[in-house]
Structure formats: C-alpha cells, structure tokens
Amino acid sequence: MAADVDKTIPEKERRNGHNGQTSPGSGSWFYRGMWTLLVVCAVPLVAFGIKSYQDSQLLRRHEEGIRALGAEGLFLFSSLDTDHDLYLSPEEFKPIAEKLTGITPPVDLEEDVIDDPNGETLVLEAKMQPLLLESMTKSRDGFLGVSHSSLSGLRSWTSPAVPSSSFPASQFRVFLPPKGKVEVGDAWWVIPSELNIFTGYLPNNRYHPPTPKGKEVLIHSLLSMFHPLPFIKSRFAPQGTVACIRASNEFYYDIVFRIHAEFQLNVVPNFPFWFTPGQFTGNIVVSKDASHVRHFHLYVPSNRSLNVDMEWLYGASESSNMEVDIGYLPQLELQSVGPSTPSVIVDEEGNVIDSQDGSSEPIQFIFEEIHWTSEMSQEEAFHRMEVTFYPFKKVPYLPFAEAFERAEAEQKLVHSILLWGALDDQSC
C-alpha cells in the first residue's frame, strides 16, 4: 500500500541533492571563499601600490625642493620638517615665526599643575665657566681644517643666557615621586627615554627644539638659563631624566636627579653644532606637597678630565660628514639663592599681614632645620639612578688596582676595557 512505502530519502541523496545536483548552500560557501581569498590577496597589493605612490611623490617633492632651494636650502627646510613629508605644518613653522616676530607663545603646562599666585617663589642663579678650547683634541693642530663658522656658537657662548630667574615653587612638583615610589632608594623616570633598538637615534640636522610638554616644561626652562636652545631629549641614548629619593621625613624629600640633554649652539646659516654634557645632576629638597623648596642644585659634574661631547655637521644633509670631539667644561650650574619664600603673608583668617611688593624691605624668614627619619648616602642614590639608565651597572666596575685585588680574592679573571672617555655618560 502507498501508506506503507518508505518515504525516507537515502543519506547520500540528501547530501548531494536530488538528481545529483549541488545544494545552493554549498555553492554559496564556495563563492564566499573565493571572494575572501581575492580580498586577502588584494590588500597587500593595494598597500604596496599606495606605498609606491607615496614614495614617488616624496621623491618628486625632493627633486622639486633641490631645484627650488638648492642642497643647503633644502637642508635648512628639512631641519624644520620634523615628519619628513616635505611640507611645513603651522607647528613645524612655529620656530621661524617666533624668530621673525620675537613672540613666543606660552608652553603647555601639565593639566593638574596650577600655580598659586600667592604661593612661594624660588630664585635660581646660573654660573658658567666656558669650555676650555685647549682641552679639545682638534686644538693640538690649531684646529686645522675646522672652519671658523663651525665653532662660532661655541666660541661665543661664554656666560649664562639668564644669570638669575624666579620660579613658582609649585612647578618643582615634577620632581616628586609617583605613587608606589615613595621609599628611600626608589628611582623612577621623570622624563622617560623614547629611544630603543627600533627608533634608532634622533636626526642631527635640527636647530630648534620641539615645544616642551608636561614635565619637560620645567626642565626646559631650567636649562634655558644656560643657553636658549636646549634639547630636553638627547639624540642618542641615554635619554631622559631619572630621579631617586635619597632621604625623607614626614614633610620633606631630598631627591637626587640626573638629566641627559644637549644644546644646539649654532644658528642659520651655520651648520648644526651639538654640545652634549656628560650629564646634568643635582638634588632638590622639597616639601611633599611642593609648596616649599628648601634647596635646589643642578650642575654638570667636572670631576673628570673630559665631560662634554661635541659634534658638528659639514654638509646639507643628514648623511653629511660630521666632526666629533670631546672637551672639558669647568662649570655649568644652577643653585638656589635660598629657600623659596611667599610674597604675601596672611593670618589664620586670610588677611594680609605683610607682603613683598618690591617697594619695601624683603620679608625675613627663619627656617627650621630638617631632620631625616630615613636616608641613604648620595653615592648610593646616584648608583640607583645609574642602574636605571645603564642596566650593565648592576655588574660592579672597579678601578684598575682594585680589580686585581678582587679577582685574586674571588679567583676570577679580569676583563679590562680601555675607553676614550667614560662608558656611563655622554662624554664618550
């Protein structure tokens, strides 16, 4: 009977469809796979095409730049073109605008730092003894082959750009430790290094430093007292600023710091001349809320026979010949005249009871002596910063005679290294 007929479709027939035809779903899957494969293959081809087009456009602009400006003119243009797209944005043109107008726009401050108009003020003095030209190796043959224009910036820099300046004490909060770094011996990056094995080094053909931001602002202002063109981030490693807590009590920190920065001494039309001290170091005694600075000192160490690296270009491109030399700088330092002081004294109700308006005698203050509840030696604090900059300093490097005594005691071999300069600063 018809009702007894098995109406079940055989398994193979269900898979392949009736009469051996392919199911619509199977064909759809095949076409989707083909489109996906085509898209995957097309993406790198499109990217390669875009890259080739961009490269050809840059080459065309470069050739146009050579024709319009010449090699030296294009070199000066490139020193402003920080993103190397052969166009000058308003931000890139800013140094020229400031030079022509003499107007410098205010720099960016950190959003959470607001200076108290009635807060304390710290006065710093800059002192300098210029580089001893006879300490340079080029001086041995009377600077033979060195053009006068190359050294013009170096020869003319004989005194600080700003001998004295006042700063709101609250700006020095940039040296305060971050959360989790509040114990004696803790070290941290104030301005982190941005150099690594992939970034390489920063370009040499520059005259104007980038606009400082955040914590860079104060460091830039401090170094500008020495010379108007400080670069807070050096071209080569080590780069940045590191600090370490040397001592503390309930209200104050004594913080040591180390800065690796450099100056550009030449201006157009002379080619760049880079002046790179081995390091800037110093310390600050500051209240934990940065309302008061008891002491500030920043200087280039002069305890070594050579403490400055110098490099200058002899051409109009990044690949131009470069001269390198090292020398000795006797003195470059900033020091506070005294503790920071308020310009206005108010009573408990906020009423002004005395002020420092310039027409009256300065307010006299008596400061209590600071007693530390926890501290370490300055040498140990400096070592903590060295290890942060140079991980290889975790291994002890010893003076020649002491190394042999240690090797004999520990039955180890001596690895001797001979250097022209120092391994753990920039004057190498």
Side-chain angles (χ1 to χ4, degrees):
M1 297 177 64
D4 296 329
V5 176
D6 185 359
K7 298 179 180 179
T8 302
I9 300 173
E11 182 66 23
K12 182 176 180 181
E13 195 172 329
R14 280 206 311 272
R15 288 198 306 267
N16 297 333
H18 296 290
N19 301 323
Q21 296 178 355
T22 304
S23 67
S26 176
S28 173
W29 177 89
F30 174 78
Y31 287 119
R32 282 200 303 270
M34 289 296 295
W35 274 110
T36 301
L37 181 62
L38 288 174
V39 170
V40 169
C41 293
V43 167
L45 292 176
V46 171
F48 177 78
I50 293 174
K51 182 66 168 57
S52 299
Y53 174 77
Q54 291 174 337
D55 291 344
S56 65
Q57 290 296 98
L58 283 175
L59 180 61
R60 180 180 61 80
R61 292 178 203 162
H62 185 271
E63 293 172 347
E64 291 175 353
I66 290 287
R67 287 195 298 269
L69 303 174
E72 294 189 1
L74 184 61
F75 169 78
L76 298 177
F77 181 92
S78 299
S79 70
L80 297 171
D81 183 24
T82 56
D83 58 6
H84 307 295
D85 63 351
L86 290 174
Y87 284 109
L88 288 187
S89 67
E91 182 68 23
E92 292 170 329
F93 186 73
K94 186 190 296 184
I96 297 299
E98 293 173 2
K99 189 78 172 178
L100 295 175
T101 63
I103 300 174
T104 303
V107 294
D108 294 334
L109 293 171
E110 290 185 284
E111 295 180 2
D112 59 344
V113 176
I114 300 176
D115 292 331
D116 181 1
N118 296 323
E120 296 188 4
T121 299
L122 184 70
V123 179
L124 299 180
E125 287 186 348
K127 297 180 181 179
M128 174 186 178
Q129 296 179 46
L131 183 114
L132 301 180
L133 293 177
E134 61 270 23
S135 67
M136 298 174 64
T137 58
K138 298 291 189 296
S139 69
R140 296 171 188 171
D141 55 9
F143 293 100
L144 183 66
V146 180
S147 66
H148 181 77
S149 61
S150 296
L151 302 182
S152 61
L154 176 64
R155 294 181 187 275
S156 63
W157 187 32
T158 58
S159 60
V162 183
S164 178
S165 186
S166 299
F167 294 85
S170 59
Q171 286 192 7
F172 290 84
R173 70 173 61 247
V174 302
F175 289 105
L176 291 179
K179 293 180 179 178
K181 296 284 186 179
V182 296
E183 301 298 328
V184 168
D186 284 345
W188 67 94
W189 288 94
V190 178
I191 299 176
S193 172
E194 295 180 351
L195 299 178
N196 55 51
I197 192 173
F198 301 106
T199 60
Y201 59 88
L202 299 180
N204 296 307
N205 59 330
R206 294 178 295 161
Y207 293 94
H208 303 280
T211 302
K213 297 179 180 180
K215 294 182 178 181
E216 299 172 7
V217 173
L218 177 65
I219 307 298
H220 183 273
S221 298
L222 294 174
L223 298 186
S224 293
M225 292 183 66
F226 297 130
H227 190 276
L229 294 176
F231 283 70
I232 304 307
K233 294 179 178 176
S234 53
R235 293 162 298 145
F236 303 96
Q239 183 192 76
T241 300
V242 166
C244 176
I245 300 175
R246 191 203 69 81
S248 70
N249 63 17
E250 184 180 358
F251 302 106
Y252 289 95
Y253 287 121
D254 182 1
I255 296 172
V256 297
F257 54 84
R258 176 167 172 167
I259 301 168
H260 282 276
E262 54 192 345
F263 300 101
Q264 176 54 244
L265 302 192
N266 278 354
V267 295
V268 177
N270 298 325
F271 294 123
F273 184 106
W274 294 95
F275 187 93
T276 311
Q279 60 172 285
F280 297 88
T281 192
N283 77 301
I284 179 173
V285 178
V286 59
S287 64
K288 292 186 174 181
D289 63 357
S291 62
H292 177 68
V293 177
R294 181 61 60 88
H295 170 79
F296 182 85
H297 188 207
L298 179 153
Y299 63 99
V300 173
S302 56
N303 59 323
R304 288 174 170 168
S305 59
L306 299 168
N307 61 354
V308 175
D309 175 84
M310 290 161 283
E311 300 174 351
W312 59 96
L313 294 179
Y314 270 131
S317 71
E318 185 68 24
S319 59
S320 298
N321 291 335
M322 174 181 283
E323 287 277 7
V324 178
D325 208 337
I326 51 181
Y328 180 70
L329 181 70
Q331 182 184 34
L332 193 64
E333 68 175 319
L334 297 177
Q335 189 148 8
S336 52
V337 174
S340 62
T341 57
S343 58
V344 176
I345 299 179
V346 298
D347 58 21
E348 295 179 353
E349 297 179 355
N351 300 313
V352 177
I353 58 177
D354 200 352
S355 64
Q356 213 167 252
D357 57 9
S359 61
S360 58
E361 290 294 323
I363 304 172
Q364 300 297 321
F365 295 92
I366 298 177
F367 297 94
E368 80 282 1
E369 185 178 353
I370 297 176
H371 299 280
W372 303 112
T373 57
S374 178
E375 61 182 313
M376 64 168 39
S377 68
Q378 194 171 63
E379 291 73 19
E380 177 59 26
F382 284 162
H383 179 69
R384 299 289 179 95
M385 294 191 296
E386 283 183 337
V387 171
T388 303
F389 274 116
Y390 308 98
F392 71 80
K393 295 287 284 188
K394 294 177 181 178
V395 176
Y397 284 70
L398 304 173
F400 199 73
E402 188 179 338
F404 281 95
E405 294 177 1
R406 177 78 69 86
E408 184 178 1
E410 299 183 5
Q411 294 295 301
K412 293 181 179 179
L413 298 177
V414 173
H415 184 189
S416 180
I417 301 175
L418 180 63
L419 297 171
W420 184 45
L423 185 63
D424 56 355
D425 68 13
Q426 289 278 25
S427 57
C428 177

